[in-house]
Amino acid sequence: MSVITTVPERNIWEDICKEFASRRPSFQEEDAQSVLTDYSDFDPARHNPVFYGQLHEKITADVDILSELDPAISHPACAGFVFTDKPPQSSPLPPPTPPDKKQCSPHVYLEHYIFPVLLPILEAMLKQAKLEKCFERKRTKFNALDFITEYLYKNNPKYTDREESSLWDIPFVQEWLKDHPRPPLPMSLIWTEEEAALIIQSHWRGYIVRREPDIQELRIWQREWREINRGIHSRVSDFWDKQMPDWDKPTPNVSETALEEENIKAIIHPEPDSEV
């Protein structure tokens, strides 16, 4: 029975990722085979001081090499090996002339202007996501879009004074947040593992202490005392309202009271006319 299969279409994104991965240098465990070995990276636990930083190749010979080796001229470990000098480092080729942005095809535009900038940013984003343990947890405070926005703003080659800027210092981000404010993150995403462990342990120790019989007795007494004294201020105010109804009114001025009394006396007992 024949099976009909469909060949998936070629994906330009996968092609670009494969090409970018092929350009990266492969990891080498032994530096002895590398032409660009740096002598400052010598580790006596992993490298032989005789062969480190030298290009060498093992040779086979019919004669006894050790018998012809002169230890005053060469090290005994060099027996059976031939050494050669490192070739000079060739200068890197100049980059090709980029195509015209306005006349090139979309494929060429993506390959020369978009992906060379986007792929390193995605690689840095994945590294940061790994540090934030995004691949281990379902919920984290890490926002990939925020990281890419901040990375692009700080590493813009047209500006050199943005190294210390953060996401919240970007002008267009501030304008956007004015109209679209974000809800605060829960503390479970803000706290680190050490801070969360410290808070949980402190609450647990407090719970263990509150379970002690003496502490329980003290807490019961405090609760009863609060029930007895609840509303004590209002009860005191009600008591004084009954005893002194006008206690909250201001005391009249003595001079004004005396003046009113004199006016009343002058009206009732007017003084005789002094004219003859």
Side-chain angles (χ1 to χ4, degrees):
M1 180 178 179
S2 61
V3 179
I4 300 176
T5 59
T6 58
V7 179
E9 297 181 358
R10 185 177 179 181
N11 192 340
I12 183 176
W13 172 255
E14 295 180 356
D15 295 342
I16 295 297
C17 292
K18 291 179 180 178
E19 182 181 357
F20 181 77
S22 63
R23 293 177 182 177
R24 298 181 60 185
S26 59
F27 177 76
Q28 297 182 358
E29 185 68 23
E30 293 292 338
D31 289 339
Q33 302 296 331
S34 176
V35 177
L36 303 178
T37 301
D38 189 1
Y39 292 96
S40 62
D41 295 336
F42 173 72
D43 185 3
R46 297 190 299 113
H47 304 99
N48 191 321
V50 177
F51 297 98
Y52 182 76
Q54 300 289 336
L55 292 179
H56 59 278
E57 183 69 23
K58 188 174 181 61
I59 59 175
T60 57
D62 297 335
V63 299
D64 188 4
I65 301 177
L66 292 177
S67 61
E68 298 181 359
L69 181 67
D70 186 3
I73 300 176
S74 179
H75 195 277
C78 299
F81 291 88
V82 62
F83 292 87
T84 182
D85 296 333
K86 285 186 176 183
Q89 298 183 10
S90 59
S91 59
L93 297 176
T97 304
D100 189 4
K101 296 182 179 179
K102 299 181 180 180
Q103 298 180 359
C104 64
S105 63
H107 183 281
V108 175
Y109 185 86
L110 290 173
E111 184 177 357
H112 287 81
Y113 294 103
I114 301 299
F115 290 118
V117 178
L118 182 61
L119 290 178
I121 296 174
L122 293 179
E123 184 179 6
M125 184 267 293
L126 291 175
K127 291 181 179 179
Q128 185 64 28
K130 184 178 180 180
L131 295 177
E132 298 288 344
K133 299 182 179 180
C134 295
F135 307 111
E136 303 175 10
R137 303 173 179 175
K138 293 183 179 180
R139 298 172 62 250
T140 60
K141 65 178 179 179
F142 180 73
N143 191 319
L145 295 179
D146 291 349
F147 180 86
I148 294 175
T149 303
E150 182 178 351
Y151 191 97
L152 288 172
Y153 184 81
K154 293 172 63 175
N155 295 274
N156 192 336
K158 297 182 180 180
Y159 304 93
T160 58
D161 56 345
R162 295 181 175 181
E163 289 78 7
E164 302 298 331
S165 301
S166 63
L167 178 67
W168 317 114
D169 299 332
I170 302 177
F172 63 83
V173 173
Q174 296 177 354
E175 294 295 330
W176 172 264
L177 292 178
K178 289 181 181 178
D179 301 329
H180 308 82
R182 292 185 177 181
L185 292 175
M187 301 305 297
S188 59
L189 299 181
I190 298 176
W191 288 337
T192 62
E193 292 184 355
E194 293 77 9
E195 294 174 342
L198 182 62
I199 293 173
I200 293 174
Q201 291 173 3
S202 63
H203 281 275
W204 175 253
R205 287 194 297 267
Y207 170 73
I208 294 299
V209 171
R210 289 191 295 270
R211 288 181 57 186
E212 296 293 332
D214 298 341
I215 303 300
Q216 286 289 333
E217 183 179 356
L218 176 62
R219 296 185 66 192
I220 293 173
W221 176 82
Q222 290 177 342
R223 182 169 60 252
E224 293 177 351
W225 179 257
R226 285 193 298 268
E227 292 292 337
I228 294 174
N229 295 317
R230 179 172 297 177
I232 186 66
H233 297 287
S234 60
R235 284 189 286 175
V236 171
S237 299
D238 295 340
F239 172 78
W240 285 111
D241 289 339
K242 295 178 181 179
Q243 299 295 326
M244 302 176 62
D246 300 333
W247 68 272
D248 56 342
K249 295 182 180 180
T251 304
N253 194 347
V254 177
S255 58
E256 294 179 357
T257 305
L259 182 60
E260 291 179 358
E261 292 178 354
E262 291 180 358
N263 292 333
I264 293 173
K265 291 181 181 180
I267 294 173
I268 298 175
H269 304 286
E271 295 183 356
D273 191 1
S274 59
E275 293 182 359
V276 179

